[in-house]
Amino acid sequence: MIPWPFEYHAPKNIAEAINLLGQYGGEAKILAGGHSLLPMMKLRFAQPEHLIDLNRIPELRGIKDTGNMIVIGAMTVENDLIRSPIIQSKLPLLAEAAKLIADPQVRNRGTIGGDLAHGDPANDHPALALALQAQFVLTGPKGKRTVAAADFFQGLYLTALAENEVLTEIHVPVMEKGTGYAYEKLKRKTGDWATAGAAVVMQVKGNVISKISIALTNLAPTAMRAEAAESALLGKELTPATLDAAAKAVMAAVDPAEDLRGDVEYKTAMAGQMVKRALGKARMRCA
Amino acid sequence: MAKKLIHVTVNGQSHEVAVEPRLLLIHFLREQLNLTGAHIGCETSHCGACTVDLDGQSVKSCTHLAVQCDGSSITTVEGLAQNGVLHAVQEGFYQEHGLQCGFCTPGMLVRAQRLLQENPNPTEDEIRQGMSGNLCRCTGYQNIVKAVQYAAKKLSQAAAAAA
């Protein structure tokens, strides 16, 4: 399989990339890790006239600890997240969940920014970003703007990114000490997307849940927060009854698409299961 | 579309070639350099038969453009044996019967040698995780795991002898 011909650009900095985007607009596509875009180009589902490769922009890579916030360059690859001592200690959910994405080779190329900007509900970072209440820095010709993860995912392959903007940084608030977390992903094999996935970030005071966010992968046209389930748990203890209530709330909220991974009924049931498992694991980790 | 000139080092040999931007790395290696060791399997980055070493990292060459490799150093399965002596992973696959049809083997070998540099003493679980981007459809993975274990042992003995 060979892509349609295109012109290749390898800008050396963000400004150059923005200029190229301004010049070619809708005829251009941004190349990050390429593990979603290149297969689509090979299948001729995507036929950009211009490909703007961000891989030669060093300022887009790296992980910085700024105190309360971890700043992740959009072109940081999954294996760098997994290996980063900053991510391991300050955002352990990300380090653990990234191991469930694709496979070792793909994790050398696949980037957090590409995973988010693609707008695919099957990708894992959108739900993780929602659960961690991340903010995205979008850079365009007029400078930078910051968009909350909650406002970024607008539909299937549809995000808040304008045609002339690049996702440049991901800002994630540090997970406080004692925060429980889990990402449960049901998949058929290594490298597959989730049949259903659930991310949980939780804090308790005494035995009572004082903070909780639950976000879901591949269970609706976009990654989604499960607000009703969060409300069902907030201010309560995690018991078999509240666990059931949360799972029921999730199952009522999801809107999965039938595909080879299962029909709507099965995926809905698995959504409930993944949430139960993630809640149980996160609760065990709360201190 | 205009071709782009790239400089790449493949198995220690330097090449300067003009490539069409849409040329995939796997096609560049197989068709322009006649290095047909890396195989085209699924073409969608699932199977790992096309795995090569790019600047010290395992990548799937079916999902990478040749034009992106300007200035890079690449090792394919053809570059593993040195002076006619098999690399420890090749010896391991031979000794432990780590293959049947052999289609997945070049990718398995290139990935295994990189895995053992990333983690010289992997547990069985770490081997299975580390090799999880390479699929074998003939057999189970038991002998592949044994082959990697064989190579790990041989490499660590060689390292100990050299120390």
Side-chain angles (χ1 to χ4, degrees), chain A residues 116-234:
Chain A
L116 292 165
H118 191 41
D120 186 341
N123 284 354
D124 298 282
H125 279 294
L128 297 167
L130 287 173
L132 292 168
Q133 298 174 32
Q135 306 253 332
F136 305 146
V137 177
L138 316 184
T139 307
K142 289 182 188 154
K144 296 177 180 183
R145 66 187 176 112
T146 303
V147 174
D151 301 321
F152 184 76
F153 305 104
Q154 301 182 342
L156 191 65
Y157 301 117
L158 210 68
T159 70
L161 266 171
E163 211 171 75
N164 56 4
E165 285 179 318
V166 178
L167 169 58
T168 48
E169 283 176 358
I170 295 97
H171 292 188
V172 193
V174 165
M175 293 168 66
E176 288 169 41
K177 286 238 173 336
T179 301
Y181 61 92
Y183 186 57
E184 288 292 319
K185 178 180 179 180
L186 177 67
K187 53 182 181 172
R188 300 171 302 176
K189 60 175 265 295
T190 296
D192 195 15
W193 285 276
T195 302
V200 169
V201 178
M202 182 197 284
Q203 288 176 16
V204 293
K205 276 199 181 117
N207 271 329
V208 171
I209 296 170
S210 58
K211 265 191 187 174
I212 180 142
S213 57
I214 303 172
L216 307 170
T217 297
N218 218 6
L219 288 164
T222 70
M224 60 182 278
R225 275 285 284 273
E227 279 112 354
E230 293 170 2
S231 308
L233 291 166
L234 201 61

Side-chain angles (χ1 to χ4, degrees), chain B residues 12-48:
Chain B
Q13 216 178 333
S14 132
H15 299 268
E16 191 177 278
V17 196
V19 296
E20 224 188 321
R22 65 172 170 166
L23 183 70
L24 298 168
L25 177 56
I26 184 71
H27 292 140
F28 170 70
L29 294 169
R30 290 177 58 86
E31 289 161 24
Q32 299 208 1
L33 301 187
N34 290 321
L35 294 168
T36 55
H39 287 161
I40 300 173
C42 70
E43 295 199 63
T44 52
S45 81
H46 283 275
C47 80

Side-chain angles (χ1 to χ4, degrees), chain A residues 1-3 5-8 31 34-35 38 42 44 51 53 55-56 103-105 108-109 189-191, chain B residues 1 4 21-22 24 43 45-46 51 57-60 62-65 67-68 70 111 129-130 132-134:
Chain A
M1 293 187 290
I2 298 167
F6 54 84
E7 215 167 292
Y8 174 79
L31 178 65
H35 279 70
L38 290 178
K42 288 160 73 173
R44 309 272 171 122
L51 201 59
D53 184 357
N55 281 283
R56 297 204 182 245
D103 64 48
Q105 286 97 313
N108 280 332
R109 299 293 309 165
K189 60 175 265 295
T190 296
Chain B
M1 296 288 158
K4 295 244 178 196
R22 65 172 170 166
L24 298 168
E43 295 199 63
S45 81
H46 283 275
T51 300
Q57 291 191 325
S58 303
V59 300
K60 295 185 169 176
C62 75
T63 310
H64 204 278
L65 300 168
V67 69
Q68 293 183 278
D70 187 25
R111 174 60 197 141
Q129 295 289 336
S132 63
N134 295 74

